[in-house]
Short mmCIF file of all heavy atoms in Angstrom, two decimals:
data_model
loop_
_atom_site.label_atom_id
_atom_site.label_comp_id
_atom_site.label_asym_id
_atom_site.label_seq_id
_atom_site.Cartn_x
_atom_site.Cartn_y
_atom_site.Cartn_z
N PRO A 68 71.08 -32.06 93.08
CA PRO A 68 69.84 -31.59 92.44
C PRO A 68 68.98 -32.78 92.01
O PRO A 68 69.48 -33.75 91.44
CB PRO A 68 70.34 -30.81 91.23
CG PRO A 68 71.74 -30.42 91.56
CD PRO A 68 72.27 -31.54 92.42
N PRO A 69 67.68 -32.75 92.31
CA PRO A 69 66.82 -33.88 91.96
C PRO A 69 66.59 -33.97 90.46
O PRO A 69 66.58 -32.96 89.75
CB PRO A 69 65.51 -33.57 92.70
CG PRO A 69 65.49 -32.07 92.79
CD PRO A 69 66.93 -31.67 92.97
N LEU A 70 66.42 -35.18 89.98
CA LEU A 70 66.06 -35.41 88.58
C LEU A 70 64.62 -35.90 88.55
O LEU A 70 64.29 -36.91 89.19
CB LEU A 70 66.97 -36.47 87.95
CG LEU A 70 68.44 -36.09 87.79
CD1 LEU A 70 69.22 -37.29 87.28
CD2 LEU A 70 68.60 -34.92 86.85
N MET A 71 63.77 -35.22 87.83
CA MET A 71 62.37 -35.61 87.74
C MET A 71 62.09 -36.08 86.31
O MET A 71 62.47 -35.43 85.34
CB MET A 71 61.46 -34.44 88.10
CG MET A 71 61.58 -34.03 89.56
SD MET A 71 61.29 -35.40 90.72
CE MET A 71 59.58 -35.78 90.34
N PHE A 72 61.44 -37.24 86.20
CA PHE A 72 61.15 -37.82 84.90
C PHE A 72 59.65 -37.98 84.74
O PHE A 72 58.92 -38.17 85.72
CB PHE A 72 61.81 -39.20 84.77
CG PHE A 72 63.30 -39.19 84.97
CD1 PHE A 72 63.86 -39.72 86.12
CD2 PHE A 72 64.14 -38.66 84.01
CE1 PHE A 72 65.22 -39.72 86.31
CE2 PHE A 72 65.51 -38.66 84.18
CZ PHE A 72 66.06 -39.18 85.34
N SER A 73 59.21 -37.94 83.50
CA SER A 73 57.83 -38.30 83.20
C SER A 73 57.71 -39.83 83.21
O SER A 73 58.72 -40.55 83.26
CB SER A 73 57.43 -37.76 81.82
OG SER A 73 58.16 -38.44 80.81
N ILE A 74 56.47 -40.32 83.14
CA ILE A 74 56.25 -41.77 83.08
C ILE A 74 56.97 -42.35 81.87
O ILE A 74 57.64 -43.39 81.96
CB ILE A 74 54.75 -42.09 83.03
CG1 ILE A 74 54.07 -41.75 84.36
CG2 ILE A 74 54.53 -43.57 82.69
CD1 ILE A 74 54.47 -42.63 85.50
N GLU A 75 56.84 -41.70 80.71
CA GLU A 75 57.47 -42.22 79.50
C GLU A 75 58.99 -42.22 79.61
O GLU A 75 59.66 -43.16 79.17
CB GLU A 75 57.04 -41.39 78.28
CG GLU A 75 55.58 -41.56 77.87
CD GLU A 75 54.64 -40.79 78.79
OE1 GLU A 75 55.11 -39.91 79.55
OE2 GLU A 75 53.43 -41.09 78.74
N GLU A 76 59.56 -41.17 80.21
CA GLU A 76 61.01 -41.10 80.39
C GLU A 76 61.49 -42.19 81.35
O GLU A 76 62.54 -42.82 81.14
CB GLU A 76 61.41 -39.72 80.92
CG GLU A 76 61.26 -38.61 79.90
CD GLU A 76 61.36 -37.23 80.51
OE1 GLU A 76 61.22 -37.10 81.75
OE2 GLU A 76 61.59 -36.27 79.76
N THR A 77 60.70 -42.43 82.40
CA THR A 77 61.06 -43.48 83.36
C THR A 77 61.01 -44.86 82.70
O THR A 77 61.89 -45.70 82.91
CB THR A 77 60.10 -43.46 84.56
OG1 THR A 77 60.11 -42.15 85.14
CG2 THR A 77 60.52 -44.46 85.62
N GLU A 78 59.99 -45.10 81.87
CA GLU A 78 59.91 -46.38 81.17
C GLU A 78 61.06 -46.53 80.17
O GLU A 78 61.58 -47.64 79.99
CB GLU A 78 58.56 -46.49 80.46
CG GLU A 78 57.39 -46.67 81.42
CD GLU A 78 56.06 -46.74 80.72
OE1 GLU A 78 55.95 -46.23 79.57
OE2 GLU A 78 55.11 -47.30 81.30
N ALA A 79 61.47 -45.44 79.54
CA ALA A 79 62.61 -45.49 78.61
C ALA A 79 63.88 -45.89 79.35
O ALA A 79 64.67 -46.72 78.86
CB ALA A 79 62.79 -44.13 77.93
N ILE A 80 64.09 -45.33 80.55
CA ILE A 80 65.28 -45.68 81.33
C ILE A 80 65.22 -47.13 81.76
O ILE A 80 66.21 -47.87 81.67
CB ILE A 80 65.39 -44.76 82.57
CG1 ILE A 80 65.62 -43.31 82.13
CG2 ILE A 80 66.54 -45.22 83.48
CD1 ILE A 80 65.52 -42.31 83.27
N ALA A 81 64.06 -47.58 82.23
CA ALA A 81 63.91 -48.96 82.69
C ALA A 81 64.21 -49.95 81.56
O ALA A 81 64.89 -50.97 81.76
CB ALA A 81 62.50 -49.19 83.24
N LEU A 82 63.71 -49.65 80.35
CA LEU A 82 63.94 -50.55 79.22
C LEU A 82 65.41 -50.50 78.80
O LEU A 82 66.00 -51.55 78.46
CB LEU A 82 63.04 -50.16 78.04
CG LEU A 82 63.12 -51.06 76.82
CD1 LEU A 82 62.81 -52.51 77.18
CD2 LEU A 82 62.19 -50.57 75.72
N ALA A 83 66.02 -49.32 78.81
CA ALA A 83 67.43 -49.22 78.45
C ALA A 83 68.30 -50.02 79.41
O ALA A 83 69.25 -50.70 78.99
CB ALA A 83 67.86 -47.75 78.44
N LEU A 84 67.98 -49.97 80.70
CA LEU A 84 68.74 -50.75 81.68
C LEU A 84 68.55 -52.24 81.45
O LEU A 84 69.48 -53.03 81.61
CB LEU A 84 68.31 -50.37 83.10
CG LEU A 84 68.62 -48.93 83.53
CD1 LEU A 84 68.02 -48.65 84.91
CD2 LEU A 84 70.12 -48.68 83.55
N ALA A 85 67.33 -52.63 81.06
CA ALA A 85 67.08 -54.05 80.77
C ALA A 85 67.86 -54.50 79.55
O ALA A 85 68.37 -55.63 79.49
CB ALA A 85 65.59 -54.28 80.56
N LEU A 86 68.00 -53.62 78.55
CA LEU A 86 68.76 -53.97 77.35
C LEU A 86 70.24 -54.19 77.66
O LEU A 86 70.90 -55.00 77.02
CB LEU A 86 68.61 -52.88 76.29
CG LEU A 86 67.25 -52.83 75.58
CD1 LEU A 86 67.10 -51.53 74.79
CD2 LEU A 86 67.09 -54.03 74.65
N LEU A 87 70.75 -53.47 78.65
CA LEU A 87 72.16 -53.65 79.03
C LEU A 87 72.43 -55.07 79.53
O LEU A 87 73.54 -55.57 79.40
CB LEU A 87 72.55 -52.64 80.11
CG LEU A 87 72.89 -51.23 79.63
CD1 LEU A 87 73.18 -50.33 80.81
CD2 LEU A 87 74.10 -51.25 78.70
N ALA A 88 71.43 -55.70 80.09
CA ALA A 88 71.61 -57.07 80.59
C ALA A 88 71.86 -58.05 79.46
O ALA A 88 72.31 -59.18 79.71
CB ALA A 88 70.38 -57.50 81.40
N ARG A 89 71.62 -57.65 78.20
CA ARG A 89 71.83 -58.55 77.06
C ARG A 89 73.22 -58.41 76.47
O ARG A 89 73.57 -59.15 75.55
CB ARG A 89 70.77 -58.26 75.98
CG ARG A 89 69.34 -58.54 76.43
CD ARG A 89 68.33 -58.02 75.43
NE ARG A 89 68.54 -58.57 74.11
CZ ARG A 89 67.92 -58.13 73.01
NH1 ARG A 89 67.09 -57.13 73.09
NH2 ARG A 89 68.16 -58.69 71.84
N THR A 90 73.99 -57.46 76.94
CA THR A 90 75.34 -57.29 76.42
C THR A 90 76.30 -58.25 77.12
O THR A 90 75.98 -58.82 78.16
CB THR A 90 75.84 -55.85 76.62
OG1 THR A 90 76.14 -55.64 78.01
CG2 THR A 90 74.81 -54.83 76.16
N GLY A 91 77.50 -58.35 76.57
CA GLY A 91 78.53 -59.17 77.21
C GLY A 91 79.44 -58.36 78.11
O GLY A 91 80.52 -58.83 78.47
N ASP A 92 79.03 -57.14 78.44
CA ASP A 92 79.85 -56.24 79.25
C ASP A 92 79.43 -56.37 80.71
O ASP A 92 78.44 -55.78 81.14
CB ASP A 92 79.66 -54.81 78.75
CG ASP A 92 80.71 -53.85 79.29
OD1 ASP A 92 81.03 -53.97 80.49
OD2 ASP A 92 81.18 -52.98 78.54
N GLU A 93 80.20 -57.15 81.48
CA GLU A 93 79.81 -57.44 82.86
C GLU A 93 79.79 -56.19 83.73
O GLU A 93 78.93 -56.05 84.60
CB GLU A 93 80.76 -58.49 83.46
CG GLU A 93 80.71 -59.84 82.77
CD GLU A 93 79.34 -60.47 82.83
OE1 GLU A 93 78.66 -60.30 83.86
OE2 GLU A 93 78.94 -61.12 81.84
N GLU A 94 80.71 -55.26 83.51
CA GLU A 94 80.76 -54.05 84.32
C GLU A 94 79.53 -53.18 84.05
O GLU A 94 78.95 -52.62 84.99
CB GLU A 94 82.04 -53.27 84.05
CG GLU A 94 82.23 -52.08 84.99
CD GLU A 94 83.54 -51.35 84.75
OE1 GLU A 94 83.60 -50.53 83.81
OE2 GLU A 94 84.50 -51.60 85.48
N LEU A 95 79.12 -53.06 82.79
CA LEU A 95 77.94 -52.28 82.49
C LEU A 95 76.68 -52.92 83.04
O LEU A 95 75.76 -52.22 83.50
CB LEU A 95 77.79 -52.10 80.97
CG LEU A 95 78.60 -50.98 80.32
CD1 LEU A 95 78.22 -50.85 78.85
CD2 LEU A 95 78.38 -49.65 81.02
N LYS A 96 76.61 -54.25 83.04
CA LYS A 96 75.44 -54.92 83.59
C LYS A 96 75.33 -54.67 85.09
O LYS A 96 74.24 -54.41 85.61
CB LYS A 96 75.50 -56.42 83.30
CG LYS A 96 75.27 -56.75 81.84
CD LYS A 96 74.98 -58.23 81.61
CE LYS A 96 76.23 -59.06 81.69
NZ LYS A 96 75.98 -60.47 81.29
N ALA A 97 76.46 -54.71 85.79
CA ALA A 97 76.46 -54.41 87.22
C ALA A 97 76.10 -52.95 87.47
O ALA A 97 75.36 -52.63 88.41
CB ALA A 97 77.83 -54.73 87.83
N ALA A 98 76.60 -52.06 86.61
CA ALA A 98 76.27 -50.63 86.75
C ALA A 98 74.78 -50.40 86.53
O ALA A 98 74.17 -49.55 87.20
CB ALA A 98 77.09 -49.81 85.77
N ALA A 99 74.17 -51.15 85.60
CA ALA A 99 72.74 -50.99 85.34
C ALA A 99 71.92 -51.34 86.58
O ALA A 99 70.92 -50.67 86.88
CB ALA A 99 72.32 -51.88 84.16
#
Side-chain angles (χ1 to χ4, degrees):
L70 294 174
M71 294 304 297
F72 303 107
S73 67
I74 291 291
E75 290 77 15
E76 289 167 342
T77 305
E78 289 178 337
I80 296 170
L82 183 57
L84 295 175
L86 286 167
L87 279 177
R89 297 170 57 190
T90 72
D92 193 319
E93 296 300 324
E94 187 177 81
L95 277 186
K96 289 194 284 188

